[in-house]
Amino acid sequence: MNEMNLGSILLKTYQVTSLIIIFMLSSLPEVCAVDKKKQAPSGAVPVFTNFVYSGDDKIYNENPLKPDEFYNPILQGCYPDPSITRKGDDYYLVCSSFSMVPGVPIFHSKDLVNWNQIGHVLDKPSQLKVETAGISMGIYAPVIRYNKYNDTFYMITTQFAGGFGNIVVKTKDPHKGWSDPIKLKFDGIDPSIFFDDNGKAYVVHNDAPNRGEELYNGHRVIKVWEYDLEKDQIIEGTDQIIVNGGVDITKKPIWIEAPHIYKKNGSYYLMCAEGGTGGWHSEVVFISDSPKGPYRPAPSNPILTQRYFSPNRENKVDWAGHADLVEGPDGKYYGVFLAIRPNEKDRVNTGRETFILPADWSGTFPVFENGLIPMEPKLKMPKGVRNQTGSNGFFPNGNFTFTDNFSSDKLDDRWIGVRSWKEDFVKVTKKGLQINPFSINIKEVKPISTLFYRQQHKNFTATVTMDYLPKSENDLAGITCYQSESFNYVYGLMKKGSDYYLVLERTKKGQSTILASEKIDISKPISLQVSAQGDEYRFNYSLDNTNFNNLGGTVSGDILSTNVAGGFTGALIGLYATSANDI
């Protein structure tokens, strides 16, 4: 078992064994969730303008696109656990969001190449309650499905916060919002819903083995329930185990999860992830004559993995799995799945990203085309499709620049909060983006007054201009590079005595160290910048928005990786303000 896989197992085991504690905490009255979110009593409120994020990865520079090609992944940065569905010519894709707010980003496409974000599924406080949840809690493995029999879309997921557990929300139109969550009466994680030709519905999910029957660490099962569409609830007593352990339990497979049922040519197919979400990750498939089994594994599993190749291969893509299938506009099947692209030190800072591959389903079982060889950065487009990524409102990929002058009344959907709703601390003014500080700092597991953008490249530069006058030593504002509440960099402006200082602080395992500080003239707005070349990060500043000076030298991005910080998210770049500065 490789080191990365072991880390995945430990993380997953920690996740499951923590659920009881999390649900107990989440169900307590939120006595301070709102009261704590007060503006700085001193009135120190920063205004941010001219945010520019620019990626410059070698792989894109060395692999320019031809007219009939597009880049893989289709969603760069922390967009893991993708699920996809189709209604007519419209495709909808969702991803995990953990304790990011709003929850469950949702994308729309007509061709599987060009995607635009239409918002978030869980975009109201009644749907998402992650105020006391760690960054890697919250929303896991959402699945989106369209039911043609009642013309309704369903999103089913596990919310590890707020006392929710497994939930489902519905809508007739994904562009117009979703219902409040309906709590589902079963345990386990990674639920998926399936609608049969006869109008019946079923739910499958990952669960623990029956009590006393666990054979090894990572032993899990897949369960199926019949589902009552009128009551929107599983039918009690209909559950049964359809996969025990995985493809071959004698080999002690770990973490069979993320199940989906499909129907093709009268047969039922169960596709699952197996091997944990790290280096042994894979996708496997089973077949049955009934949605409730028994299911028989394909003779040539896995159908997707990157685990068999040299760890030193160039342009490495790894951890591939957690897939979902859909029929494409050209009649071929395609699968979306997560994978990672580590940096030169094999660390994962950009998180688990959304990839796509065609799937050959001309035989009995589907197989991902080129999913069992080292993955390439480019794909051929479906016939008749034109690549419009990065233009006409479609999401960019490859090397791109994202600029936001904060001149629109509505913030771009790529801006998110962590445990806090943007509306609670952000205001767009004529002067720029105003962040009203909470009396909470970024190291607390509480709502924080920070607006985040995902790191989407190994090599990038992010720059923002800030106009800010801290009133007391409790005030700080600036930028942060954030993997979690316990692993982050804070680069901000603060006051000490009658002077103003720019400070750089590194927090690892909750322990903070000041790496550098410098007295600053704040008579004019200051431009703050973070740049990364793989694992090497540098924090710079400019007083004239042209000439940049470095503070703190080159620092390691190790704490911004899941390898060091743990968890399931990618690094975030934040515009941060607090009236509870502890530096």
Side-chain angles (χ1 to χ4, degrees), residues 94-168:
V94 295
C95 301
S96 289
S97 55
F98 307 101
S99 290
M100 303 171 192
V101 179
V104 189
I106 181 168
F107 301 85
H108 171 258
S109 178
K110 291 282 190 180
D111 51 32
L112 301 178
V113 173
N114 304 295
W115 293 90
N116 68 295
Q117 186 171 357
I118 60 173
H120 293 79
V121 174
L122 305 179
D123 60 1
K124 300 190 293 286
S126 60
Q127 299 169 314
L128 184 68
K129 297 187 180 299
V130 293
E131 292 87 350
T132 58
I135 184 64
S136 282
M137 301 300 289
I139 298 295
Y140 273 58
V143 171
I144 187 169
R145 290 291 182 264
Y146 172 67
N147 184 0
K148 65 181 180 181
Y149 296 100
N150 59 6
D151 189 29
T152 301
F153 289 86
Y154 292 73
M155 193 284 293
I156 186 169
T157 189
T158 311
Q159 184 170 167
F160 289 125
F164 274 119
N166 292 303
I167 59 171
V168 66

Side-chain angles (χ1 to χ4, degrees), residues 73-342:
I74 52 174
L75 300 178
Q76 295 166 223
C78 181
Y79 293 103
D81 307 330
S83 176
I84 192 168
T85 196
R86 177 182 185 178
K87 177 187 177 182
D89 295 331
D90 295 295
Y91 295 88
Y92 297 93
L93 185 151
V94 295
C95 301
S96 289
S97 55
F98 307 101
S99 290
M100 303 171 192
V101 179
V104 189
I106 181 168
F107 301 85
H108 171 258
S109 178
K110 291 282 190 180
D111 51 32
L112 301 178
V113 173
N114 304 295
W115 293 90
N116 68 295
Q117 186 171 357
I118 60 173
H120 293 79
V121 174
L122 305 179
D123 60 1
K124 300 190 293 286
S126 60
Q127 299 169 314
L128 184 68
K129 297 187 180 299
V130 293
E131 292 87 350
T132 58
I135 184 64
S136 282
M137 301 300 289
I139 298 295
Y140 273 58
V143 171
I144 187 169
R145 290 291 182 264
Y146 172 67
N147 184 0
K148 65 181 180 181
Y149 296 100
N150 59 6
D151 189 29
T152 301
F153 289 86
Y154 292 73
M155 193 284 293
I156 186 169
T157 189
T158 311
Q159 184 170 167
F160 289 125
F164 274 119
N166 292 303
I167 59 171
V168 66
V169 295
K170 304 188 298 181
T171 186
K172 294 288 186 179
D173 185 348
H175 298 262
K176 296 182 179 179
W178 296 71
S179 70
D180 277 345
I182 301 164
K183 295 183 183 181
L184 300 173
K185 299 176 182 177
F186 59 87
D187 297 323
I189 62 172
D190 292 7
S192 180
I193 195 163
F194 167 69
F195 305 108
D196 206 348
D197 294 338
N198 58 10
K200 293 188 69 174
Y202 301 85
V203 166
V204 287
H205 63 94
N206 161 299
D207 208 345
N210 293 330
R211 182 169 296 184
E213 295 181 7
E214 183 175 352
L215 301 178
Y216 51 87
N217 187 21
H219 178 195
R220 302 290 285 178
V221 302
I222 300 298
K223 281 186 178 178
V224 64
W225 302 75
E226 295 178 25
Y227 187 83
D228 188 327
L229 286 168
E230 295 297 322
K231 297 180 180 178
D232 274 311
Q233 194 55 256
I234 51 99
I235 300 174
E236 294 187 21
T238 62
D239 59 311
Q240 60 190 67
I241 294 174
I242 52 176
V243 174
N244 184 14
V247 169
D248 184 351
I249 197 169
T250 66
K251 296 181 179 179
K252 297 184 178 180
I254 59 170
W255 288 101
I256 190 77
E257 59 188 358
H260 302 302
I261 294 178
Y262 311 94
K263 190 175 186 180
K264 186 174 185 287
N265 297 332
S267 294
Y268 297 86
Y269 293 85
L270 176 69
M271 193 173 74
C272 307
E274 186 184 274
T277 195
W280 204 245
H281 207 197
S282 71
E283 198 71 16
V284 297
V285 67
F286 307 77
I287 191 171
S288 176
D289 296 326
S290 165
K292 298 190 73 173
Y295 281 90
R296 307 177 302 279
S300 56
N301 278 315
I303 60 172
L304 167 70
T305 191
Q306 295 287 286
R307 67 191 183 197
Y308 298 122
F309 312 121
S310 168
N312 301 317
R313 62 191 182 275
E314 189 177 4
N315 297 328
K316 182 166 73 171
V317 175
D318 213 351
W319 301 8
H322 201 117
D324 198 6
L325 292 170
V326 71
E327 187 175 353
D330 54 1
K332 284 183 63 70
Y333 279 83
Y334 289 80
V336 292
F337 57 96
L338 71 82
I340 56 98
R341 298 179 296 162

Side-chain angles (χ1 to χ4, degrees), residues 425-484:
F425 63 90
V426 165
K427 183 179 180 181
V428 177
T429 70
K430 292 182 179 179
K431 294 183 177 181
L433 182 84
Q434 177 178 300
I435 294 185
N436 299 308
F438 294 165
S439 55
I440 294 165
N441 70 50
I442 206 165
K443 304 163 197 173
E444 299 182 70
V445 186
K446 296 175 182 176
I448 52 179
S449 45
T450 311
L451 193 64
F452 287 105
Y453 181 91
R454 292 167 173 85
Q455 179 180 331
Q456 297 180 289
H457 298 81
K458 300 172 191 175
N459 305 332
F460 74 91
T461 299
T463 308
V464 71
T465 299
M466 181 179 73
D467 190 357
Y468 180 55
L469 180 66
K471 300 292 187 180
S472 76
E473 294 183 8
N474 294 326
D475 299 326
L476 180 143
I479 59 178
T480 177
C481 288
Y482 181 91
Q483 176 61 238
S484 75

Side-chain angles (χ1 to χ4, degrees), residues 33-71:
V34 175
D35 292 341
K36 284 284 187 178
K37 295 189 291 186
K38 293 180 178 178
Q39 295 181 14
S42 61
V45 178
V47 175
F48 294 90
T49 54
N50 195 32
F51 176 84
V52 180
Y53 171 95
S54 185
D56 188 28
D57 282 354
K58 178 181 177 182
I59 191 169
Y60 298 121
N61 293 328
E62 294 182 347
N63 293 275
L65 291 175
K66 295 178 181 178
D68 62 342
E69 295 176 331
F70 68 104
Y71 283 125

Side-chain angles (χ1 to χ4, degrees), residues 342-349 455 458-459 489 506 531-538 554-561 564:
N343 65 23
E344 77 282 1
K345 293 194 174 179
D346 209 34
R347 293 182 180 137
V348 184
N349 290 41
Q455 179 180 331
K458 300 172 191 175
N459 305 332
Y489 284 103
R506 171 184 166 99
S531 65
Q533 292 290 317
D535 188 65
E536 298 182 342
Y537 286 64
R538 292 176 64 83
T554 299
V555 299
S556 175
D558 57 349
I559 60 170
L560 304 177
S561 70
V564 173

